[in-house]
Structure formats: structure tokens, C-alpha cells
Amino acid sequence: KQEVTQIPAALSVPEGENLVLNCSFTDSAIYNLQWFRQDPGKGLTSLLLIQSSQREQTSGRLNASLDKSSGRSTLYIAASQPGDSATYLCAASGTYKYIFGTGTRLKVLA
Amino acid sequence: ETGVTQSPTHLIKTRGQQVTLRCSSQSGHNTVSWYQQALGQGPQFIFQYYREEENGRGNFPPRFSGLQFPNYSSELNVNALELDDSALYLCASSLGGQGEYEQYFGPGTRLTVT
């Protein structure tokens, strides 16, 4: 049974810092690994999707990596800004469904 | 191209009542998946519909049921509402029912059960 864990559960950093969010999964037989952003009370915004054959994806200040053999993915955020404050969720896609972690709550202080 | 839409946005119901949530899939998508997100948790998979048939189900009781229509829009029905059913309900559509297809999420319906 796939389990997805995100560490840390919460993170507070000063503006401008580079930071790394971690996601681990127990079953390496995944199709994709996807990172989402969720603002309070809102739905999910897709940030990056990494296919199982890929090692990383980049979009602007965001870079996500995937290591299936170790069951890990990281989301790197460069030069963090107060507007980056949100909850970040990772999801591993199985046979037909996404398994989500519980998220990392990020606060970037001005 | 229209994305995934859900209605209503918010809903307040009383314990024991029944509720229907609606989802319109993205153009060209034939699969809809439903997720429940309780406060402070990650979304949990409820079930998936592929070409009008249930394609998989998570660990939810039978009072959670669904339907997919010929135009691939979908409904989630919850009977005998309980307080713990209060959550954000998300639907996602995709090109197919297999795991390699990216799921595109709607904005969600916030259900409050009092």
C-alpha cells in the first residue's frame, strides 16, 4: 500500500532564502510524481509533474527532482518570497489514483 | 478550452441529510476522480469513473456514491451525512483511467455538515 510522507510539516523562513521541501513514498511503482500548491480554503494549483522516466522538472524559481529507487522527491524553491506562503502537497500516481502527502505549510516572512 | 468546474462552491447541510456535488470535466477528458480533503489533511481518493463505469474505489462507505454521464460530467452523492463529512471535495478529470494520465483538479466544493 502506497504511503506518502512530507517533511517538515511546517516551515517558516525569511524572504530571499532558498529552501527544499521533501516528499517520500513507499512504493516505487509510480507513474508520476506531482507537486501542488494550496492556498488557505482554496483548491489545488499544479506546480510541476515529473514522469517516472524523468529525473527533474523546472518552472521559474521551482525545481522538482525525483529518485524512484530511493522513493524520494524534493521541491526546491529559489529566492523565496512572501507570496510563496502556502501549503505544498506532493502526490504519487498509482494505477488509477493519486496518493497525497499531508503537506508542508510554508510561511515566508517579509 | 474550459477547465474542470465544480458546483456549488459552498454548501451547508444538516446531519442525516443527503447532498449532490457536481463536476464538469475538461474538454476531451473521459475520466473523473473524486477526492475528499479534511482540514489539515491531504486529499483522500473516493472513487474514479471511466467512460461511465466505476474504475476504482477508495476506503469510503457505500453512502458515498457516484455517477458519470455520457458527456463525462460527474456527480458525487453522499447520503446520511455525518459531521465528519465536512470537508473540501475535489474532482479531477483526465484523458484516461490509467495512472500515467495527469489529473486536472477543479476548485472544489466546501461542504459543512452541522
Side-chain angles (χ1 to χ4, degrees):
Chain A
K1 176 189 170 188
Q2 179 72 275
E3 292 183 4
V4 178
T5 304
Q6 291 188 247
I7 294 173
L11 185 61
S12 187
V13 300
E15 181 177 7
E17 271 205 9
N18 302 323
L19 54 101
V20 174
L21 307 182
N22 296 294
C23 171
S24 61
F25 47 94
T26 55
D27 186 349
S28 62
I30 63 171
Y31 285 95
N32 304 312
L33 192 292
Q34 193 163 357
W35 284 91
F36 296 88
R37 169 187 172 136
Q38 187 171 36
D39 293 294
K42 302 295 185 182
L44 305 179
T45 299
S46 177
L47 297 174
L48 291 165
L49 179 146
I50 313 173
Q51 296 176 347
S52 61
S53 59
Q54 299 174 321
R55 297 283 295 186
E56 64 178 335
Q57 282 286 343
T58 298
S59 176
R61 295 183 294 108
L62 305 180
N63 175 275
S65 66
L66 175 63
D67 184 344
K68 281 183 58 178
S69 61
S70 67
R72 293 184 180 185
S73 177
T74 60
L75 178 67
Y76 175 82
I77 303 177
S80 59
Q81 304 170 356
D84 294 331
S85 298
T87 295
Y88 291 81
L89 293 154
C90 67
S93 68
T95 306
Y96 51 82
K97 63 185 178 183
Y98 279 20
I99 306 296
F100 284 84
T102 52
T104 293
R105 201 166 54 254
L106 173 66
K107 186 168 186 178
V108 181
L109 305 170
Chain B
E1 181 179 282
T2 306
V4 180
T5 60
Q6 292 185 243
S7 62
T9 306
H10 297 92
L11 203 51
I12 300 175
K13 289 286 189 178
T14 302
R15 190 171 50 185
Q17 287 187 317
Q18 178 265 342
V19 69
T20 297
L21 310 182
R22 295 178 175 83
C23 173
S24 291
S25 59
Q26 189 165 310
S27 176
H29 289 185
N30 57 23
T31 302
V32 172
S33 303
W34 287 91
Y35 295 81
Q36 180 197 64
Q37 186 179 22
L39 199 61
Q41 302 296 314
Q44 299 290 316
F45 175 76
I46 303 175
F47 43 57
Q48 181 185 85
Y49 279 85
Y50 169 64
R51 294 190 173 186
E52 303 180 61
E53 297 286 333
E54 187 177 290
N55 189 45
R57 188 179 182 93
N59 189 27
F60 280 81
R63 57 190 187 83
F64 285 78
S65 62
L67 198 58
Q68 187 177 35
F69 300 98
N71 66 354
Y72 302 130
S73 66
S74 177
E75 286 183 354
L76 164 65
N77 299 289
V78 187
N79 293 321
L81 284 166
E82 301 177 359
L83 296 179
D84 285 349
D85 296 333
S86 295
L88 180 68
Y89 289 84
L90 297 162
C91 82
S93 73
S94 52
L95 284 169
Q98 291 73 40
E100 69 262 35
Y101 294 107
E102 181 176 358
Q103 296 187 10
Y104 294 80
F105 285 80
T109 293
R110 171 76 59 187
L111 172 65
T112 301
V113 182
T114 61

